[in-house]
Amino acid sequence: MNQMTAIPAAASPLEMGRFADQNTPLVRNCWYVAGFADEISRHILSRRLLGVDVALYRTLAGEPVAVRNRCPHRSFPLAKGRLEGDVLVCGYHGMQFDPSGRCVNMPSMPIVPTNANVAAFPTAERGPLVWIWMGDPDHADEALIPDTSWLASPEWKSVRGAYHIKSDYVAMHENLLDQTHFPFLHPGTVGTPEFARSKLDVRLEDDVVVIYRALRNAPPPGIYGIPMGLMDKRVDRFSEARYVSPALHTAYASVTDNEDASGRPIKYRFNITHLITPETQTSLHYWWFNSRDQKLDDMEADEFLRTASEKAYLEDVDALEWIAQTVALDSEPQFDLNFAPDKPGLLMRRSIFERAEAEQARGL
Amino acid sequence: MNQMTAIPAAASPLEMGRFADQNTPLVRNCWYVAGFADEISRHILSRRLLGVDVALYRTLAGEPVAVRNRCPHRSFPLAKGRLEGDVLVCGYHGMQFDPSGRCVNMPSMPIVPTNANVAAFPTAERGPLVWIWMGDPDHADEALIPDTSWLASPEWKSVRGAYHIKSDYVAMHENLLDQTHFPFLHPGTVGTPEFARSKLDVRLEDDVVVIYRALRNAPPPGIYGIPMGLMDKRVDRFSEARYVSPALHTAYASVTDNEDASGRPIKYRFNITHLITPETQTSLHYWWFNSRDQKLDDMEADEFLRTASEKAYLEDVDALEWIAQTVALDSEPQFDLNFAPDKPGLLMRRSIFERAEAEQARGL
Amino acid sequence: MNQMTAIPAAASPLEMGRFADQNTPLVRNCWYVAGFADEISRHILSRRLLGVDVALYRTLAGEPVAVRNRCPHRSFPLAKGRLEGDVLVCGYHGMQFDPSGRCVNMPSMPIVPTNANVAAFPTAERGPLVWIWMGDPDHADEALIPDTSWLASPEWKSVRGAYHIKSDYVAMHENLLDQTHFPFLHPGTVGTPEFARSKLDVRLEDDVVVIYRALRNAPPPGIYGIPMGLMDKRVDRFSEARYVSPALHTAYASVTDNEDASGRPIKYRFNITHLITPETQTSLHYWWFNSRDQKLDDMEADEFLRTASEKAYLEDVDALEWIAQTVALDSEPQFDLNFAPDKPGLLMRRSIFERAEAEQARGL
């Protein structure tokens, strides 16, 4: 299964043309998150996803529905209309669409016009998330929805948050794959000097980029050590981060306390789920969960983890938006330099580029 | 006079290229409203009309004057200058222009430069309106100013209002010509279900698109029935709407009460005057009047009609701006579908397209 | 030294193509002001100069440093990082640059990468100003920094101010070279009718455009007469204004009181220093000093001159921004007319055009 492949060396500007950046067409044939499940309701929500304005609502039976937020008649935004049962009624001339996007009534016409439909997008609900497929509907296979089962498991407890970020999804994934920024951008939370200097391993599992590190007999990072009560100890650490798809990055961390009062080692496990959906080429929706398998009922741990995560992720938001502004406003382009820690990011960028290129080649 | 012409059937995207939309060059050879007469005064007003910034003022004798709001010397906006009698003085270097736009003094020059003029635009005052001609000045025939004499007639009483709308004049006219939106966008005022289902007639009088409906023994719409005290009666209704020119849409409605206490039928007549001037390709100025020939001194009727009109027109403003945003932000174009009630709008769009095309062909 | 050259007559639109305007590439091989000396400190300042975002700081020894505000690795704005001694540390991955822009450490790399440098710009401090050279570094000769020695001389006393202006540096210089606007734009301060009608002389000293006027036995302008206590006298006036470079315009004025109580004529001298640095093609940074050689300790004179200067320069800011908006929003271009008083401005515009053209020809 694990397939080690050649990792790109420092690339020339010419070669960089085959690594995705903010100008690469967005990968569409992928399940992306449309929103937290509790954001989608009987109140119609409009949200731009992959450049397309989408109207999101639930049927009376609770099924999430997603259609293009633009009436095919005179382009009125359907989310400004209203629901009649499961039918979405346009607020301009009353045109009616069922959850599949099919027009079922046009009040000013004696018969229902055929082919007067609005595009509908496949959706699927998984735990606290509603997923959407904006690509070729014939390929909308729910088996391709990535696993986030821990978010709905009673063995895990999660805190969560969401941000709108004026940056592109490639830069966001690259940020998550280059953890050498932790000591500089996040000195108060996840960044420890030991971590920065530790050996990094990279592997490729098909399109999934995996990076991992192991640290024995080291101080725990504050973000996990404080809420778990381990700051006066030395622990064994293991961390793994995965670029799973354009929509998902997962990070796993374990901290093992070998000196627990029970006499037996206790392993504290954390799953960080980063859900990323491009809004446009240069902006994105971001939803995150910080999940743990210990102290599930500890509300102080909840509060600490929520606050510390928000602090760290806002530092990332600032950095990404500052960079996007710098690039957008600069009067001359710059070919960014690449160093050894950029290898996982470059693998991700090559994968996104190749997926986008394949979609363009076959006309989607 | 009435010339029935073929009405376009549902058009293909290719054919739609000959119907005006927000990208069609603006029709310039047309009298447009520059403002309410009481907006033009000895205080210089600047207003963008058909893409051109115009400085508007009155002479000492009260004649409205319109010149390009850009000094021919260093592009200073003349409306930031001041009036000396009938002469407009630039606020930068003191260059002086008479109401015809001719330079009559340049303080730093010993003699007045010739040909140092600013473009002036023909204007004409009609009742509460000042009209302007932004096209070929040789064709500025005041006989072409459309009739709005009821606005200044003692037999009619009007309430009025004005909006700036971030939409294009084609969409605005189309909104006015498709009244099947009344029950959905204006359920509280002009929209009654009977009206939506009534038979619509369309005719073309040269370039004027006329739609009309007659309804016998029907409930009156609230906007007229309430102020006239007819809500407990059934009435005969007749309504006619006219796309008169790119600058003007008029709507006429009559409500006949056959059971008046006088024993004789009483006809209540209403004229709605919609005055539309493009500001740019994607924004417009809108002035409206709601006029009636009954209960002229009834101040409660004034207040009711003003408030109800404002409510309905703001619903139109919202709809038009939502649509314009939807179209502007969408990442892929949409060819809007057309249905039977779109025929009057398509006739208007074909007329505007052909006028714009003819102007482009002859270089104006 | 003084070289009288032909002054362009009223130019045709075709000929105007060889006079700089807001579209002409910015002249880069020139010392420009980067900021007041007291703006540059151990707190890193970011400022866009000639389209380039620059990070400005001082070394521990107090030397001003200017580097491009964009990390060569992932485009993070370096001004968001921090100083460690004289070294600028990127806030994203900790990359370190010395004041020459050379990378001296990359924490995640075992050895310092070569050629991983950021562009540095030559700077020089002169009195209250820090100058920067954004052109070819091989030509950054400090001997080319224009003289502003009076700003640091004990024989002169200065008040100062600064504005950010949404206009271009060509229009700003043209404003300063055409003083016939004084009576119209600045009627309350520098504009006197006698001044507007006085004879103007123009000469060219290499690239320096000089205009001067002499007025004998005239009332003093309020801006100098009031703080010096001369308003009840008639004086001899001499004024000279110099377009020195794209970065500098100096104005000199003397007012001679022949009736001083001492029995001897007293000459009051004023130097106005206008420092102009393009931010972009359509915006600029502006710093000004009003310096005098009399009543150096008179704090009321300070306050009067500061307030009167601010009032006059804000009138210029308004005029320039109104013009820039008028030009930017107009739907059709206008070739501005030129008159006799525009000759000094046209000489300046021809000089800037030729410098820009020469830079473009040799690739910088």
Side-chain angles (χ1 to χ4, degrees):
Chain A
M1 188 60 142
N2 288 18
Q3 175 199 345
M4 285 300 288
T5 67
I7 288 169
S12 71
L14 189 67
E15 292 165 329
M16 286 310 292
R18 295 196 52 81
F19 293 83
D21 62 18
Q22 75 274 17
N23 299 313
T24 306
L26 302 171
V27 170
R28 306 192 82 80
N29 287 281
C30 175
W31 287 98
Y32 287 98
V33 168
F36 286 135
D38 50 19
E39 288 183 292
I40 320 291
S41 70
R42 292 288 293 172
H43 176 85
I44 312 164
L45 173 74
S46 78
R47 178 165 285 164
R48 190 169 297 278
L49 304 170
L50 285 78
V52 178
D53 198 6
V54 177
L56 294 154
Y57 68 96
R58 283 188 193 273
T59 63
L60 289 170
E63 288 297 312
V65 177
V67 297
R68 189 175 178 185
N69 189 22
R70 181 172 179 175
C71 181
H73 170 228
R74 280 297 176 272
S75 293
F76 190 86
L78 294 171
K80 298 284 188 184
R82 66 177 196 280
L83 292 175
E84 287 189 4
D86 288 354
V87 166
L88 181 54
V89 182
C90 179
Y92 199 4
H93 302 92
M95 204 167 169
Q96 299 182 2
F97 304 95
D98 74 11
S100 75
R102 195 168 57 90
C103 176
V104 292
N105 188 21
M106 174 70 173
S108 60
M109 294 281 282
I111 55 166
V112 177
T114 53
N115 299 324
N117 305 328
V118 67
F121 303 100
T123 58
E125 190 161 359
R126 293 289 182 276
L129 298 172
V130 169
W131 296 82
I132 190 168
W133 179 272
M134 311 279 294
D136 180 349
D138 291 342
H139 293 82
D141 180 357
E142 293 194 9
L144 298 173
I145 297 173
D147 178 32
T148 55
S149 54
W150 55 90
L151 299 179
S153 161
E155 293 173 32
W156 292 83
K157 175 69 177 290
S158 301
V159 293
R160 72 180 209 188
Y163 296 111
H164 177 265
I165 308 182
K166 290 188 276 297
S167 179
D168 63 281
Y169 76 146
V170 177
M172 180 74 185
H173 277 292
E174 196 163 47
N175 169 278
L176 293 166
L177 282 169
D178 184 1
Q179 299 176 344
T180 66
H181 76 266
F182 285 7
F184 302 97
L185 194 60
H186 312 300
T189 50
V190 295
T192 64
E194 293 79 4
F195 190 79
R197 291 193 297 263
S198 65
K199 181 173 178 300
L200 173 79
D201 286 294
V202 182
R203 70 173 188 272
L204 202 55
E205 300 175 0
D206 297 326
D207 271 349
V208 176
V209 182
V210 188
I211 59 176
Y212 54 103
R213 285 183 173 87
L215 271 169
R216 297 206 167 271
N217 196 30
I223 194 168
Y224 301 135
I226 293 171
M228 299 298 110
L230 303 171
M231 288 308 280
D232 57 344
K233 299 186 172 181
R234 296 185 76 83
V235 296
D236 292 342
R237 295 174 60 186
F238 177 78
S239 76
E240 187 182 84
R242 292 176 166 254
Y243 160 77
V244 178
S245 83
L248 178 63
H249 176 106
T250 57
Y252 167 80
S254 71
V255 173
T256 303
D257 176 8
N258 295 306
E259 303 157 12
D260 188 67
S262 69
R264 290 186 309 180
I266 295 194
K267 181 186 278 192
Y268 297 82
R269 296 187 301 162
F270 299 86
N271 265 338
I272 319 296
T273 315
H274 303 274
L275 300 144
I276 297 159
T277 307
E279 180 190 50
T280 67
Q281 292 282 146
T282 53
S283 59
L284 60 89
H285 305 285
Y286 172 48
W287 298 268
W288 60 262
F289 293 82
N290 189 321
S291 311
R292 66 186 187 274
D293 73 342
Q294 299 284 335
K295 303 198 178 190
L296 305 195
D297 300 323
D298 183 337
M299 290 181 66
E300 278 185 44
D302 283 358
E303 183 57 23
F304 180 89
L305 285 164
R306 181 184 299 108
T307 305
S309 299
E310 277 175 356
K311 180 179 185 321
Y313 300 151
L314 274 177
E315 289 162 346
D316 288 318
V317 171
D318 279 346
L320 289 168
E321 296 195 342
W322 290 334
I323 289 171
Q325 281 175 28
T326 295
V327 171
L329 293 177
D330 207 349
S331 53
E332 50 189 290
Q334 167 176 299
F335 286 105
D336 285 345
L337 300 175
N338 294 307
F339 300 118
D342 295 311
K343 285 183 181 175
L346 291 174
L347 288 170
M348 172 275 299
R349 289 172 62 182
R350 192 170 65 184
S351 168
I352 288 185
F353 182 87
E354 289 173 354
R355 289 178 69 161
E357 185 181 46
E359 290 188 359
Q360 298 294 312
R362 68 172 198 268
L364 185 78
Chain B
M1 190 62 142
N2 286 20
Q3 177 199 344
M4 284 300 289
T5 67
I7 288 169
S12 71
L14 188 65
E15 292 163 329
M16 286 309 294
R18 294 197 52 83
F19 293 82
D21 62 17
Q22 74 275 17
N23 298 314
T24 306
L26 302 172
V27 170
R28 306 192 84 78
N29 288 280
C30 176
W31 287 98
Y32 288 98
V33 168
F36 286 136
D38 51 18
E39 288 184 292
I40 319 293
S41 71
R42 293 288 293 169
H43 177 83
I44 313 165
L45 173 72
S46 77
R47 179 166 284 164
R48 190 168 299 277
L49 304 170
L50 284 78
V52 178
D53 199 5
V54 177
L56 294 154
Y57 68 95
R58 284 188 192 271
T59 63
L60 289 171
E63 289 296 311
V65 177
V67 297
R68 188 176 178 184
N69 188 22
R70 181 171 178 176
C71 182
H73 171 228
R74 279 298 175 271
S75 292
F76 190 85
L78 293 172
K80 297 285 190 183
R82 67 178 195 278
L83 293 175
E84 287 189 3
D86 288 354
V87 165
L88 181 53
V89 183
C90 179
Y92 199 5
H93 300 93
M95 203 166 171
Q96 298 182 2
F97 304 95
D98 73 12
S100 76
R102 194 168 58 89
C103 178
V104 293
N105 189 21
M106 175 70 174
S108 61
M109 294 281 283
I111 55 166
V112 177
T114 54
N115 299 323
N117 305 327
V118 68
F121 303 99
T123 59
E125 190 161 1
R126 293 289 182 273
L129 298 171
V130 170
W131 296 82
I132 190 168
W133 180 271
M134 311 280 293
D136 181 348
D138 292 341
H139 293 82
D141 181 357
E142 293 194 9
L144 298 173
I145 299 173
D147 179 31
T148 56
S149 53
W150 57 88
L151 299 179
S153 161
E155 293 171 32
W156 292 83
K157 175 69 176 292
S158 302
V159 294
R160 71 181 210 187
Y163 296 111
H164 178 265
I165 309 182
K166 290 189 276 297
S167 178
D168 62 283
Y169 75 147
V170 177
M172 180 74 185
H173 277 293
E174 197 163 45
N175 170 277
L176 293 167
L177 283 169
D178 185 0
Q179 300 177 344
T180 65
H181 76 267
F182 285 8
F184 302 98
L185 194 60
H186 312 301
T189 49
V190 295
T192 64
E194 292 79 6
F195 190 79
R197 290 192 297 263
S198 65
K199 180 173 179 301
L200 173 77
D201 286 294
V202 182
R203 69 173 188 270
L204 201 56
E205 301 176 1
D206 297 326
D207 271 350
V208 175
V209 182
V210 186
I211 58 176
Y212 54 103
R213 282 183 174 88
L215 271 171
R216 298 209 165 265
N217 195 31
I223 193 168
Y224 301 134
I226 293 169
M228 298 298 109
L230 304 171
M231 289 307 281
D232 56 345
K233 300 186 174 181
R234 295 185 77 85
V235 297
D236 291 343
R237 295 173 61 186
F238 178 78
S239 77
E240 188 183 83
R242 292 175 166 254
Y243 160 76
V244 177
S245 84
L248 177 65
H249 176 106
T250 58
Y252 167 81
S254 70
V255 173
T256 303
D257 176 7
N258 294 306
E259 304 156 9
D260 188 66
S262 69
R264 292 186 309 183
I266 295 194
K267 182 185 278 189
Y268 296 82
R269 296 187 300 164
F270 299 87
N271 266 337
I272 320 295
T273 314
H274 302 275
L275 299 144
I276 298 160
T277 306
E279 181 190 50
T280 66
Q281 291 282 146
T282 53
S283 59
L284 60 89
H285 305 284
Y286 172 48
W287 298 269
W288 60 263
F289 293 83
N290 189 321
S291 311
R292 66 186 187 274
D293 72 343
Q294 300 286 337
K295 304 198 180 191
L296 305 194
D297 299 323
D298 183 339
M299 291 181 66
E300 278 186 42
D302 284 358
E303 183 56 23
F304 180 89
L305 285 164
R306 182 184 298 109
T307 305
S309 300
E310 279 175 355
K311 179 178 183 326
Y313 301 151
L314 274 177
E315 288 163 347
D316 288 318
V317 171
D318 279 347
L320 289 168
E321 296 195 342
W322 289 335
I323 289 170
Q325 281 176 27
T326 295
V327 172
L329 294 177
D330 207 350
S331 53
E332 50 188 290
Q334 168 176 298
F335 287 105
D336 284 345
L337 300 176
N338 294 308
F339 300 117
D342 294 312
K343 286 184 182 175
L346 291 173
L347 287 170
M348 172 276 299
R349 290 171 61 183
R350 193 172 62 183
S351 170
I352 287 185
F353 182 85
E354 289 173 355
R355 288 178 69 161
E357 185 181 46
E359 290 187 359
Q360 299 294 311
R362 65 172 199 268
L364 184 75
Chain C
M1 187 60 142
N2 289 18
Q3 175 199 345
M4 284 300 289
T5 67
I7 289 168
S12 71
L14 189 67
E15 292 165 329
M16 286 309 294
R18 295 195 52 82
F19 293 83
D21 62 17
Q22 75 274 16
N23 298 314
T24 306
L26 302 172
V27 170
R28 306 192 82 79
N29 287 279
C30 176
W31 287 98
Y32 288 98
V33 167
F36 286 135
D38 51 20
E39 289 183 290
I40 319 293
S41 70
R42 293 290 291 170
H43 177 84
I44 312 165
L45 174 72
S46 77
R47 178 165 284 164
R48 189 168 300 276
L49 304 170
L50 285 78
V52 178
D53 199 5
V54 177
L56 294 155
Y57 68 95
R58 284 187 192 272
T59 63
L60 289 172
E63 289 296 312
V65 177
V67 298
R68 188 176 179 184
N69 188 22
R70 181 171 178 175
C71 182
H73 171 229
R74 279 298 177 271
S75 293
F76 191 85
L78 294 171
K80 298 285 189 183
R82 67 178 196 279
L83 293 174
E84 287 189 2
D86 289 353
V87 166
L88 181 54
V89 182
C90 180
Y92 199 5
H93 302 94
M95 204 166 170
Q96 298 182 2
F97 304 95
D98 73 13
S100 75
R102 194 168 58 88
C103 177
V104 293
N105 188 21
M106 175 71 174
S108 61
M109 294 280 284
I111 55 165
V112 177
T114 53
N115 299 323
N117 305 327
V118 67
F121 304 100
T123 59
E125 190 161 1
R126 293 289 182 275
L129 298 172
V130 170
W131 295 82
I132 190 169
W133 180 271
M134 310 280 292
D136 180 348
D138 291 342
H139 293 83
D141 180 357
E142 293 194 9
L144 298 174
I145 298 173
D147 178 32
T148 54
S149 54
W150 56 89
L151 299 179
S153 160
E155 294 172 31
W156 292 83
K157 175 68 177 292
S158 302
V159 293
R160 73 181 209 188
Y163 296 110
H164 178 264
I165 309 181
K166 290 189 276 297
S167 179
D168 63 281
Y169 76 146
V170 177
M172 179 74 183
H173 277 292
E174 197 163 46
N175 170 278
L176 293 167
L177 283 169
D178 184 0
Q179 299 176 345
T180 67
H181 76 268
F182 285 8
F184 302 97
L185 195 60
H186 313 300
T189 49
V190 296
T192 64
E194 293 79 5
F195 190 78
R197 290 193 298 263
S198 66
K199 180 173 180 301
L200 173 78
D201 287 295
V202 182
R203 69 172 188 270
L204 202 56
E205 301 176 0
D206 297 326
D207 271 349
V208 176
V209 183
V210 186
I211 59 176
Y212 55 102
R213 283 183 174 89
L215 270 171
R216 295 206 168 270
N217 195 31
I223 194 168
Y224 301 135
I226 292 170
M228 299 298 111
L230 302 171
M231 287 307 281
D232 56 346
K233 299 185 174 181
R234 296 187 75 84
V235 298
D236 291 343
R237 295 173 61 187
F238 178 78
S239 77
E240 188 182 83
R242 293 175 166 256
Y243 160 76
V244 177
S245 83
L248 177 64
H249 176 105
T250 58
Y252 167 80
S254 71
V255 173
T256 303
D257 176 8
N258 294 304
E259 304 155 12
D260 189 67
S262 69
R264 293 186 308 182
I266 296 194
K267 183 185 278 190
Y268 296 83
R269 296 188 300 163
F270 299 87
N271 266 337
I272 320 296
T273 314
H274 303 274
L275 300 143
I276 297 160
T277 307
E279 181 190 49
T280 66
Q281 291 282 147
T282 54
S283 59
L284 60 88
H285 305 285
Y286 173 47
W287 299 268
W288 60 263
F289 292 83
N290 188 321
S291 311
R292 66 186 186 274
D293 73 342
Q294 300 285 335
K295 302 199 181 190
L296 305 193
D297 299 323
D298 182 340
M299 289 180 67
E300 279 185 41
D302 283 1
E303 183 57 20
F304 180 89
L305 286 164
R306 182 184 297 109
T307 305
S309 300
E310 278 175 355
K311 180 178 183 326
Y313 300 153
L314 274 177
E315 289 162 345
D316 288 318
V317 171
D318 278 346
L320 290 167
E321 296 194 342
W322 289 334
I323 289 171
Q325 281 176 27
T326 295
V327 171
L329 294 177
D330 207 349
S331 53
E332 49 189 292
Q334 167 176 299
F335 286 106
D336 285 344
L337 299 176
N338 293 307
F339 300 118
D342 294 312
K343 286 183 181 174
L346 291 174
L347 288 170
M348 171 275 298
R349 289 172 62 183
R350 193 171 63 185
S351 170
I352 288 185
F353 181 86
E354 288 173 355
R355 289 178 69 162
E357 184 181 45
E359 290 188 358
Q360 298 294 311
R362 68 171 199 268
L364 185 76

